[in-house]
Amino acid sequence: MTIQTRILHGLGDACLLIGDIAEDLGLGRGQVSQAAALLIARGYVERVERGCFRLTGAGRRARDEGVTIETGVTGPTRALRLPKRTTIRQRAWNAMRITRTFTVADLTTAVAREGDGDVEENLRRFVNALSRAGYLARAARRRPGTAPGSNGFAVYSLVRDTGPVAPVVSRKRCAIHDFNGRAA
């Protein structure tokens, strides 16, 4: 039986202190505090005042039904994660900050590594998103292309350098988050 389940079934309708719960169940105060926080997140327990917990209506129903709480992930996280420093987009952002004016082909040449996959398409989507968000400006003239009949390469300039961490493009949220302190 998990600690959360033991606390759920051990709490009554009265407000109990962490020390009392720990003593009744033979647990440490830290264990009780952590399990109580998880029970609060599930909506089974409420904190009446500092260190004093009691069951909510949902907690009483769960206790009466004999619910067993399993540990582990309760659902997807909604938090944005700070990007890893070695991603293609982070390397491209570093290159943009250094060169200031570039094409997608320039970035691809500068940041591609063995086993990265379709770097050019990844960077094309990244550059387009940054351009729409106002981080990049597209020049009116294009650089000449190498293939016969080519329209040439679009040239971009970095106009909003917000810091060393690359902005994160979230297709799911249809937004860009800038970990340098600004949300676009």
Side-chain angles (χ1 to χ4, degrees):
M1 185 181 304
T2 65
I3 295 172
Q4 292 178 45
T5 304
R6 290 175 60 191
I7 291 174
L8 178 70
H9 294 289
L11 277 177
D13 295 328
C15 182
L16 293 178
L17 298 172
I18 289 177
D20 296 336
I21 299 169
E23 189 177 311
D24 291 345
L25 299 176
L27 299 169
R29 292 175 61 90
Q31 290 176 305
V32 171
S33 178
Q34 185 177 14
L38 294 169
L39 287 168
I40 289 170
R42 292 177 187 259
Y44 291 149
V45 171
E46 63 184 345
R47 190 177 108 175
V48 179
E49 58 187 52
R50 187 173 180 175
C52 186
F53 301 97
R54 73 173 172 208
L55 292 176
T56 62
R60 284 191 291 278
R61 282 190 299 279
R63 179 195 60 200
D64 295 342
E65 293 171 4
V67 169
T68 300
I69 299 171
E70 299 296 326
T71 60
V73 178
T74 57
T77 180
R78 300 274 187 251
L80 285 167
R81 293 188 182 108
L82 188 64
K84 296 177 184 173
R85 301 296 257 159
T86 60
T87 64
I88 295 168
R89 291 179 177 194
Q90 180 62 53
R91 294 191 310 259
W93 179 253
N94 293 341
M96 288 179 209
R97 293 182 73 218
I98 292 167
T99 61
R100 298 290 180 183
T101 302
F102 52 88
T103 65
V104 173
D106 295 338
L107 290 178
T108 303
T109 303
V111 305
R113 291 184 184 166
E114 187 74 30
D116 273 345
D118 191 357
V119 176
E120 188 169 355
E121 183 58 30
N122 186 338
L123 292 179
R124 190 178 321 286
R125 286 193 310 267
F126 186 53
V127 165
N128 286 336
L130 291 179
S131 184
R132 282 191 306 272
Y135 285 86
L136 305 177
R138 188 171 170 177
R141 296 187 56 101
R142 298 168 79 87
R143 277 199 199 145
T146 55
S150 169
N151 290 333
F153 297 104
V155 179
Y156 296 90
S157 297
L158 181 64
V159 294
R160 204 164 110 198
D161 183 357
T162 57
V165 180
V168 175
V169 178
S170 174
R171 289 190 336 200
K172 187 175 184 180
R173 291 186 171 116
C174 297
I176 292 182
H177 183 79
D178 191 341
F179 283 99
N180 297 302
R182 298 180 182 162

